[in-house]
């Protein structure tokens, strides 16, 4: 389109004489420009290699720091999780021990109160029996005294009758005392059996309640521990998945960036190599042209010398 090859051929073939200052300036300026560009190209290649080494060291350092930071973060998160689970277990264990102590204290207080109640009931029953016996003896004594007075007033005949009546009364009193003793004994035995049965039933019910409460407490604590463990496992899995996705994204982004940098560096080097090749070819063509002109001049001088001789 621009006929560059013809222009280049005419320019390279131009051989200004020593008096042609303008032509020599163009030729020397072109040569100086070619040397300067070649020098700049060499510097660019060296700088590109140096910058590539620095970039690689920076990427290695960045990857190392990211790996260290991620490892330290996961280590700290694991430590915090273990400390949290240990503290939760310690609190739950302390609560269970305190509840066990309270239950034992409640059982001890209940048993002590039951024993005091039974003891008070026994004291009251003994006092009632003593008072009943004392009153019966006073009644018997008063009745005997009255009978003796009546017997003395009625005379000998009456004394005989009174003696007979007294024997009957004594027998009746003895029978009544025996019956009262049997009734009191039966009442005490019945009361003791009933109270013992009540105490046994209360103890059985208390033990069943304690067992049920402890079982429910244990099931609830086990459920809480299992739920906490599942939640912790789910959190760890979610965290690891997020961490893995984030690290994979970083690796993909870094790889894409590295490929782009490598592609850009390769394109730049290709351009530099192409430019260097063009310069080398031009330099070689110019050298060939200069060599050819030199040979032509030498041949002309030789012919001139031959003609002179």
């Amino acid at each position: 389109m621009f006929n560059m090859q013809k222009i280049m051929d005419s320019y390279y073939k131009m051989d200004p004489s020593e008096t042609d200052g303008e032509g020599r300036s163009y030729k020397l300026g072109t040569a100086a420009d070619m040397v300067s560009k070649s020098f700049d190209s060499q510097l660019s290649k060296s700088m590109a290699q140096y910058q590539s080494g620095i970039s690689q060291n920076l990427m290695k350092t960045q990857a190392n720091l990211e790996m260290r930071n991620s490892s330290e973060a996961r280590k700290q998160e694991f430590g915090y999780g273990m400390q949290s689970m240990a503290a939760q277990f310690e609190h739950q264990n302390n609560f269970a021990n305190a509840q066990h102590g309270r239950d034992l204290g409640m059982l001890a207080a209940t048993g002590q109160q039951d024993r005091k109640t039974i003891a008070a009931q026994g004291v009251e029953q003994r006092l009632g029996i003593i008072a009943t016996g004392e009153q019966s003896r006073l009644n018997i004594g008063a009745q005997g005294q009255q009978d003796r007075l009546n017997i003395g007033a009625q005379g000998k005949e009456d004394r005989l009758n009174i003696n007979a009546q007294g024997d009957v009364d004594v027998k009746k009193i003895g029978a009544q005392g025996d019956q009262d003793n049997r009734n009191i004994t039966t009442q005490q035995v019945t009361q003791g059996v009933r109270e013992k049965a009540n105490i046994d039933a209360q103890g059985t019910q208390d033990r069943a309640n304690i067992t049920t409460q402890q079982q429910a407490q244990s099931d609830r604590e086990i459920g809480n521990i299992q739920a906490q463990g599942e939640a912790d496992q789910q959190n760890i899995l979610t965290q690891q998945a997020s961490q893995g996705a984030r690290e994979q994204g970083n690796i993909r982004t870094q790889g894409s960036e590295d490929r782009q940098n490598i592609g850009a560096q390769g394109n730049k080097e290709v351009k530099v190599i192409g430019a260097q090749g063009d310069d080398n070819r031009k330099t070689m063509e110019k050298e060939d042209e200069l060599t050819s002109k030199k040979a032509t001049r030498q041949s002309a001088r030789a012919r001139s010398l031959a003609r002179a001789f």
Side-chain angles (χ1 to χ4, degrees), residues 5-16 23 27 30 34 280-298:
Q5 188 64 44
K6 184 177 180 181
I7 295 172
M8 290 174 62
D9 291 340
S10 63
Y11 181 76
Y12 280 123
K13 292 178 180 179
M14 183 180 64
D15 186 13
K27 298 293 283 188
T30 302
M34 292 175 65
N280 292 333
R281 285 192 298 274
K282 291 178 181 179
T283 301
M284 292 173 65
E285 290 175 356
K286 185 61 177 179
E287 289 177 352
D288 292 339
E289 183 180 355
L290 293 175
T291 302
S292 178
K293 289 181 177 180
K294 184 178 180 180
T296 301
R297 288 194 297 271
Q298 289 177 354

Side-chain angles (χ1 to χ4, degrees), residues 214-239:
Q214 292 294 326
Q215 184 65 35
Q217 180 71 21
S218 177
D219 294 339
R220 185 169 60 255
E221 291 176 356
I222 292 173
N224 293 333
I225 293 171
Q226 291 176 351
Q228 183 65 35
E230 293 176 357
D232 292 337
Q233 291 177 0
Q234 188 64 33
N235 291 332
I236 291 171
L237 292 176
T238 303
Q239 180 181 2

